[in-house]
Each structure stands twice: as structure tokens, then as C-alpha cells.
Amino acid sequence: ALRKLDIKQLPVYVLGQFLGAFFAALVIWGIYADGIYFREGETLDYTASTVGIFASYPSLLKANLGVLAMDQILGTALLLLIILAVTDGRNMNVNSSLVPLLIGLGLTAIHLSFGFNAGCAINPARDFAPRLVSLMGGWPNTFTGEGLGGWWWIPTFLPFVGGLIGGAAYHFMIEIHHKDD
């Protein structure tokens, strides 16, 4: 949408994000295997008490889907604003060695601020691919959730909307005001 990525690169980029998150979830499953075994017991009848290791779920079973949707859209829009602000050489001219730190601090602030309602996925790959791992592993209600049957699509699709809004907001609030070189 901002013409900063060649459209031919988009499928490769998206696939790379989803595969990376999928394999990371497998690694997390291995790392937490003892804790999952301890929590779930010897039968390993997986429950909602451990599925949250992989994907984001609302903290309240009776959460309003509209609030959860806005949570994901706004969180992702803020992330895009931060990324674009610190990587735009014509904006703040941040030293390249500080860019990862500043994005990480911004991401931390977003997670601390938006984590309660919806788990703060703000990246479809970070939620959907690990959700597939938990489904393949045998966790129940991976896509339906307990009490929120329509939840899974919110962290899967709405961050794309938030990204477009954040990118457009940056473009219209900051980028169009740059003086041409």
C-alpha cells in the first residue's frame, strides 16, 4: 500500500513470516513440554490452560468482539507508525544501530498497553501459524475458543487492516510533508 515492497516479494515475505512462526511454535512446544506435561497431567488431555502458550486468546470469555477487533487494529496501526517513524531517514534520521532497540521498545509498550484484552497478537503470522501447531497437537477449541466461537479471525485478518491504517496515517501525517530532495 505504501509502495515500499515490490508486490512480487509479498507472497515470499508472508510465507516466510508464517513458516518462521510455525517452526518457532514447534520449538516452544518442545521447550515447554515438561511444563505442559506437569499442568495437563499424565493423560495429556490438552485444555485451554496451556493452549495460550501458542496463540492469543481474549482474557475474558464474555469479551465484546468489537472491542477485541479495535484492539488488534489499533495495536497494529501503532506498530506500523513506530516502524515507519524510526526507519524513515527523512523523518528522525535515527542511527541504524538504534532502530531495532526503538522498535522493540515500541513493541513492548504496545504489548503492555494492549495485552490484556486480546493477547496482543498484532501480527497474523504470530497468531495463526502457532494456532495451527496447537490444532495439530490436539488442543481442543483452537479455532473456536471457549465461549468466543468467532475469535480466531480477529488476530488473523484485522492486523492487515491495522497495518494499512497505520501506514496511511504515517503517510498523510508525516511523509507527505517531507520536502522533496
Side-chain angles (χ1 to χ4, degrees), residues 6-18:
D6 184 4
I7 195 71
K8 292 180 277 186
Q9 295 173 320
L10 184 64
V12 174
Y13 178 79
V14 170
L15 182 65
Q17 287 270 315
F18 278 84

Side-chain angles (χ1 to χ4, degrees), residues 125-136:
R126 175 254 178 267
D127 189 82
F128 185 74
R131 195 177 294 271
L132 287 177
V133 169
S134 60
L135 177 69
M136 291 174 11

Side-chain angles (χ1 to χ4, degrees), residues 79-93:
L79 177 60
L80 259 288
L81 283 170
I82 291 166
I83 291 170
L84 293 172
V86 300
T87 59
D88 183 355
R90 295 175 17 173
N91 180 28
M92 297 188 303
N93 201 17

Side-chain angles (χ1 to χ4, degrees), residues 1 10 43 45-46 50 53 63 69 73 79 83 95 97 103 109 138 142 144-145 147 166-167 170 172 176:
L10 184 64
T43 61
D45 290 330
Y46 296 130
T50 56
I53 293 169
I73 291 170
L79 177 60
I83 291 170
N95 186 313
S97 63
I103 292 173
T142 304
T144 59
Y170 184 80
F172 289 111
I176 63 171

Side-chain angles (χ1 to χ4, degrees), residues 125-169:
R126 175 254 178 267
D127 189 82
F128 185 74
R131 195 177 294 271
L132 287 177
V133 169
S134 60
L135 177 69
M136 291 174 11
W139 273 267
N141 304 320
T142 304
F143 279 90
T144 59
E146 291 188 16
L148 286 170
W151 157 252
W152 72 272
W153 65 273
I154 291 174
T156 302
F157 295 111
L158 292 186
F160 289 111
V161 174
L164 290 173
I165 290 171

Side-chain angles (χ1 to χ4, degrees), residues 5-40:
L5 179 70
D6 184 4
I7 195 71
K8 292 180 277 186
Q9 295 173 320
L10 184 64
V12 174
Y13 178 79
V14 170
L15 182 65
Q17 287 270 315
F18 278 84
L19 285 175
F22 182 84
F23 288 116
L26 290 174
V27 170
I28 292 298
W29 191 5
I31 290 172
Y32 284 113
D34 289 341
I36 292 169
Y37 178 79
F38 177 76
R39 176 76 176 140
E40 300 290 2

